[in-house]
Amino acid sequence: MSSNIQSSESLLNAKPEEPKLVTNLRGIKNKIMVMSGKGGVGKSTVSANLAAALADRGYSVGLLDSDIHGPTIPKMFGLENERPLVSEKGIVPVKVNDNLKIMSIGLLLDSNDSPVVWRGPAKMSAIKQFLEEVDWGVLDYLIIDLPPGTGDEPLSISQLIGNLTGAIVVTTPQAVALTSVRKSLNFAKIIEVPVIGMVENMSGIVCPHCDEKIHVFGSGGVAKAAEDFGVKVLGTLPIETEVASTGDSGNVHIDIKRDSEWYIGFNKVVDAVEEFVK
């Protein structure tokens, strides 16, 4: 009789087992989403360079490519032919260097040309697996490269993780992009994720002949949107051909000239992220 009572008391006092996702992400100090209202604004370029720059500064960084239909992160690091291993702790993310590792659906496809023809539930299952089954270990930062828009993937990431450090919103200066990015800023507000700030990408191009800056997509709109929503503009990044070529060649953040306007502007973004998490 007494043993049955003790057994019942033990069950009542037992703590519920934590979800595997919670325990798997416990070693990650900061989780940052990089998002945009529309495609083609350079969101993955910002994500990849942010992860690489933080790793260069000595932080332990993971980069999750959550764009199921258009994964580009493996290509940008020259790892599109690599495949992740599996250990007793889970899926082992692919190592870029001692401080940076990545995971992407692009690392799991039979061919780089294979399309992912999935509906919502399959995509959500894959994203959950990336968070729950990948052995991220102890990280200072997990940078999450989101697909464009405010649909399934961003919503699932925010709901699954639940305690995101913040979001960076990437846009280009033209009005069409800003129409969408304002929706992203409202989306972050709805899901209660702090906005670290906005990055104005493709902010003009410097003429190689006269050094005059040409505002191909206009100017002023990003600053206005930031003012309207009470967020910061972390950096304005011009169009520079070598930035695009580093991604195409798999040398993200390696071959960019340290005295270029883009590099100087991007370092301000990285500085702002460091300051925000402090």
Side-chain angles (χ1 to χ4, degrees):
M1 181 72 174
S2 60
S3 62
N4 288 337
I5 292 173
Q6 287 177 347
S7 176
S8 299
E9 287 177 347
S10 298
L11 287 171
L12 287 170
N13 294 327
K15 294 181 180 179
E17 187 175 343
E18 287 186 310
K20 187 176 180 183
L21 187 146
V22 173
T23 58
N24 193 51
L25 301 182
R26 177 168 287 139
I28 303 173
K29 293 179 183 176
N30 301 290
K31 309 171 189 76
I32 296 174
M33 298 193 306
V34 180
M35 59 190 299
S36 65
K38 66 184 295 296
V41 299
K43 173 188 49 56
S44 292
T45 297
V46 170
S47 298
N49 278 279
L50 176 60
L54 288 168
D56 284 350
R57 294 188 182 193
Y59 295 106
S60 179
V61 184
L63 175 56
L64 171 58
D65 182 359
S66 67
D67 192 338
I68 302 298
H69 296 293
T72 56
I73 294 299
K75 170 69 175 175
M76 298 179 80
F77 286 98
L79 298 172
E80 63 267 40
N81 295 318
E82 296 290 327
R83 295 293 177 266
L85 301 175
V86 178
S87 73
E88 56 186 29
K89 291 184 178 180
I91 303 168
V92 181
V94 172
K95 188 175 178 181
V96 177
N97 56 45
D98 287 342
N99 289 339
L100 177 59
K101 46 194 172 184
I102 67 171
M103 178 52 63
S104 169
I105 194 71
L107 297 169
L108 304 174
L109 301 177
D110 293 333
S111 163
N112 295 328
D113 297 329
S114 299
V116 178
V117 189
W118 290 353
R119 294 186 185 273
K123 292 191 291 182
M124 300 314 101
S125 176
I127 288 173
K128 185 178 180 184
Q129 188 173 17
F130 284 154
L131 295 171
E132 192 174 72
E133 302 292 340
V134 173
D135 180 22
W136 290 109
V138 176
L139 296 176
D140 294 305
Y141 292 91
L142 176 64
I143 307 300
I144 305 162
D145 181 32
L146 294 176
T150 57
D152 286 342
E153 293 90 333
L155 189 57
S156 293
I157 289 284
S158 64
Q159 290 176 336
L160 286 168
I161 294 179
N163 60 339
L164 286 154
T165 305
I168 294 173
V169 181
V170 183
T171 186
T172 49
Q174 73 265 45
V176 171
L178 287 166
T179 299
S180 298
V181 85
R182 294 174 76 94
K183 293 180 173 63
S184 293
L185 291 167
N186 272 321
F187 173 78
K189 185 177 180 180
I190 290 168
I191 62 175
E192 299 181 339
V193 174
V195 175
I196 299 171
M198 298 171 66
V199 174
E200 181 178 341
N201 197 28
M202 305 183 198
S203 179
I205 185 170
V206 177
C207 175
H209 304 293
C210 67
D211 290 332
E212 181 183 352
K213 192 167 186 179
I214 305 166
H215 293 283
V216 182
F217 299 122
S219 63
V222 176
K224 177 65 167 59
E227 182 182 352
D228 290 347
F229 285 87
V231 300
K232 296 178 180 178
V233 177
L234 305 180
T236 55
L237 310 176
I239 299 170
E240 289 188 9
T241 55
E242 66 174 17
V243 175
S245 66
T246 60
D248 290 343
S249 63
N251 291 315
V252 163
H253 208 67
I254 295 175
D255 295 333
I256 302 172
K257 293 176 183 176
R258 295 324 193 224
D259 61 350
S260 71
E261 185 180 344
W262 194 96
Y263 185 85
I264 293 169
F266 195 80
N267 265 294
K268 292 179 180 177
V269 176
V270 185
D271 291 341
V273 170
E274 280 187 306
E275 185 62 30
F276 182 87
V277 302
K278 288 176 183 176

